[in-house]
Amino acid sequence: MSSPELVLRVLRTQLRAAGITYKVLAERIDMSESSVKRMFGQNDMSLSRLALICKAAGIAMEDVLRGAADITPHADTLTLVQEKSLIAHPRLLLVAICCLGHWNLEQVIETYALSEAECIGYLAELDRLGLIELKPLNRYSLRVSNAFHWLADGPVQQYFREHVVADYFSGHFDGAGETLMCIPARLCLPSAQEMVQKIRQLAEELARLHQSDRRLAPAERDGFTLLLGFRSWEFGAFTALRRSAPANTPAALPYQTGPRKR
């Protein structure tokens, strides 16, 4: 649940929008104005008191809680320790990836050879790690932003590099909605940075489509994975064929000479 400070911030905003002052609210809930001001100033309020105030003000408590959830800041990445905990247990990593894909408990159990008790245990561990917030009936909400990504060269990326990349590229990329492109270019550093920004925008667009398609039935959706990489690089076999530069030729910056292997 959102923090009390955020809940009260949204409540204050909605009270102002409704034209309800602390004095008016105090009269409606049979409290002194000073007590109401003190209650809001302490940034803490029980759910029963929140429900009473919302009812007196004609405000839906669900709207207040939802509004607080919408402005709750979420991290774009996990910490190094969190990622290490995931890769230490591949099944936990599997359930984490399912959660990032907004799968519910039933979908995970139907798809993978995990028992219900096992899966619930993994959800509880993901809650402890801070990836999700586990709710009643084994539902959950993500504690990471829509711009979430794994740590650059972190434990999960290293795990993917060792165990996933070869499997991913073993496909033919010729199915419906599939493509594979490898496009070399010689760019200056500002152009390369502009390209990175556009790649991030593409990732955000994929997240938007993913969110939008959640309303469709599971049978209408399939699992797609976008694997992006952009770096200054040259295939080693091609690097071996490069001519040696004259001894008096000044060394140029990498982004001036084009791709290089590193």
Side-chain angles (χ1 to χ4, degrees):
M1 181 177 293
S2 305
S3 68
E5 292 84 358
L6 291 176
V7 171
L8 289 179
R9 185 196 305 175
V10 173
L11 180 58
R12 288 190 192 94
T13 300
Q14 296 208 14
L15 287 172
R16 283 196 296 269
I20 299 175
T21 64
Y22 286 153
K23 181 179 181 180
V24 172
L25 179 62
E27 293 172 352
R28 292 187 182 183
I29 63 175
D30 196 24
M31 290 180 65
S32 67
E33 183 179 358
S34 59
S35 296
V36 171
K37 288 181 178 179
R38 184 166 57 253
M39 180 173 57
F40 276 88
Q42 291 173 347
N43 279 330
D44 193 11
M45 184 181 295
S46 67
L47 282 176
S48 59
R49 182 58 58 85
L50 175 63
L52 175 65
I53 291 174
C54 289
K55 182 178 180 180
I59 297 171
M61 187 169 75
E62 293 78 6
D63 290 344
V64 174
L65 295 177
R66 188 180 299 110
D70 289 342
I71 62 174
T72 299
H74 292 301
D76 292 339
T77 64
L78 298 180
T79 65
L80 182 64
V81 172
Q82 289 170 321
E83 285 202 3
K84 285 182 176 179
S85 297
L86 289 179
I87 65 166
H89 305 284
R91 292 191 174 199
L92 179 63
L93 177 60
L94 166 64
V95 176
I97 292 173
C98 288
C99 289
L100 291 171
H102 300 280
W103 290 35
N104 59 37
L105 176 68
E106 293 75 18
Q107 289 173 316
V108 178
I109 295 172
E110 289 172 0
T111 305
Y112 298 108
L114 297 174
S115 69
E116 181 176 354
E118 203 176 3
C119 196
I120 292 173
Y122 290 137
L123 291 176
E125 179 64 13
L126 293 175
D127 178 272
R128 188 190 68 79
L129 288 174
L131 181 71
I132 66 171
E133 180 182 347
L134 192 56
K135 299 178 180 294
L137 301 178
N138 299 313
R139 300 302 185 227
Y140 65 87
S141 61
L142 291 176
R143 286 180 175 169
V144 294
S145 73
N146 288 334
F148 173 80
H149 56 275
W150 302 110
L151 291 173
D153 204 31
V156 174
Q157 275 200 6
Q158 292 174 13
Y159 180 88
F160 287 166
R161 192 176 295 122
E162 295 173 11
H163 303 283
V164 176
V165 172
D167 185 68
Y168 181 83
F169 284 108
S170 66
H172 297 291
F173 294 86
D174 57 357
E178 296 183 357
T179 185
L180 174 64
M181 293 181 286
C182 181
I183 306 172
R186 295 175 69 86
L187 303 174
C188 65
L189 182 57
S191 293
Q193 291 172 330
E194 179 181 345
M195 193 66 207
V196 169
Q197 181 60 35
K198 292 184 181 299
I199 289 173
R200 289 174 178 157
Q201 292 171 356
L202 176 62
E204 292 173 359
E205 178 64 11
L206 178 60
R208 184 192 67 79
L209 292 171
H210 173 78
Q211 186 75 12
S212 174
D213 286 358
R214 288 177 59 192
R215 59 183 175 80
L216 301 175
E220 297 182 72
R221 296 174 290 160
D222 197 1
F224 286 84
T225 297
L226 177 67
L227 182 60
L228 288 172
F230 185 70
R231 57 173 290 204
S232 176
W233 172 82
E234 182 180 61
F235 181 45
F238 296 167
T239 304
L241 294 175
R242 280 182 174 260
R243 298 181 185 277
S244 298
N248 60 349
T249 300
L253 294 174
Y255 56 83
Q256 292 176 325
T257 61
R260 73 192 190 287
K261 185 175 180 181
R262 61 180 182 185

